Amino acid sequence: LQDGRVVAITPGGIELTENHILDRFAQEISLHGIFLGFLFDELKGRGLDAKKLAAHLSERDFFKNDTLPALSEALGLYFDGKYFSAVTVLLPQLEQVLRLANRKLGIPTLRSLDNGEQRVIYLQEALANLEGIFTPDRYQYFCLVLWDKRGPALRDSSAHGLLSYSGANKSQANLLLQLILILATFEYKEKN
């Protein structure tokens, strides 16, 4: 999948394209969000709370910026079981962290339009600019969870007001929290 190959299963003549594989991956992501809930509940039972998680993030390179107060608030909402609010706060902050990572790497975060206006780059572009820092599977995971319509595409449903109060759930919040934790593992390094 990573190098554009098409996987053929023989005999039987079944051919799996990238779309087939990503559709299956998206189905597994939904189930994965449920199991993340069990993991996070266990961690809560062992003493993890919003303050401890925010303190951990404050020490990590991707979160040493002005997104931390909003992320701290979102973590508090998550730990209080307010998943709609947690999702709607986590998503734009996650997008902002990806843009800040672009800026830190010297990649422009503004695009000039034909009329001279400047607009911020969208999530899809900010993430694509960082594709090289992720493993191919992890990059696809971020894409499916955040914007690719073959997966949950949580950013679009939230940003366009399509996420209903009853439609937001713990599983979605779990997926976003996991993306935050994945980004917390990265560090900025100087070349050479």
Side-chain angles (χ1 to χ4, degrees):
L1 174 61
Q2 284 105 7
D3 60 5
R5 290 175 291 137
V6 174
V7 179
I9 300 175
T10 57
I14 297 173
E15 183 177 51
L16 297 178
T17 63
E18 181 179 356
N19 273 345
H20 290 108
I21 294 168
L22 290 178
D23 286 341
R24 179 67 182 153
F25 192 23
Q27 291 171 4
E28 291 176 7
I29 287 172
S30 297
L31 188 59
H32 182 68
I34 295 168
F35 286 105
L36 280 171
F38 296 134
L39 173 65
F40 293 145
D41 286 345
E42 179 66 23
L43 291 172
K44 285 186 224 176
R46 294 179 184 215
L48 181 67
D49 61 17
K51 288 183 181 180
K52 289 178 184 173
L53 193 49
H56 170 71
L57 291 176
S58 73
E59 298 170 357
R60 308 307 302 164
D61 285 355
F62 270 36
F63 300 97
K64 291 181 178 175
N65 52 55
D66 59 357
T67 63
L68 196 57
L71 279 173
S72 296
E73 181 177 323
L75 293 173
L77 293 165
Y78 175 85
F79 280 87
D80 289 342
K82 299 176 180 172
Y83 302 118
F84 176 83
S85 299
V87 167
T88 57
V89 175
L90 279 172
L91 273 164
Q93 297 312 309
L94 188 58
E95 188 171 349
Q96 181 66 355
V97 166
L98 293 171
R99 272 196 212 96
L100 291 169
N102 275 241
R103 188 177 308 139
K104 182 81 172 175
L105 296 171
I107 302 168
T109 57
L110 295 174
R111 176 185 300 108
S112 295
L113 303 178
D114 292 339
N115 64 4
E117 284 184 54
Q118 290 197 329
R119 294 269 168 89
V120 68
I121 61 172
Y122 294 119
L123 169 68
Q124 185 174 351
E125 187 176 348
L127 187 57
N129 290 339
L130 301 174
E131 183 176 0
I133 70 168
F134 296 106
T135 63
D137 289 340
R138 189 172 285 170
Y139 175 73
Q140 287 298 334
Y141 185 73
F142 268 74
C143 290
L144 287 166
V145 170
L146 293 174
W147 66 264
D148 191 327
K149 301 223 182 323
R150 294 172 289 192
L154 295 175
R155 190 264 181 208
D156 282 353
S157 61
S158 177
H160 300 299
L162 302 174
L163 183 66
S164 66
Y165 186 79
S166 60
N169 59 49
K170 183 177 182 179
S171 180
Q172 294 167 333
N174 293 337
L175 292 171
L176 294 174
L177 183 54
Q178 184 193 29
L179 296 185
I180 295 287
L181 293 173
I182 290 170
L183 290 175
T185 64
F186 289 95
E187 296 178 334
Y188 293 116
K189 300 263 184 178
E190 293 293 325
K191 288 185 177 180
N192 300 323

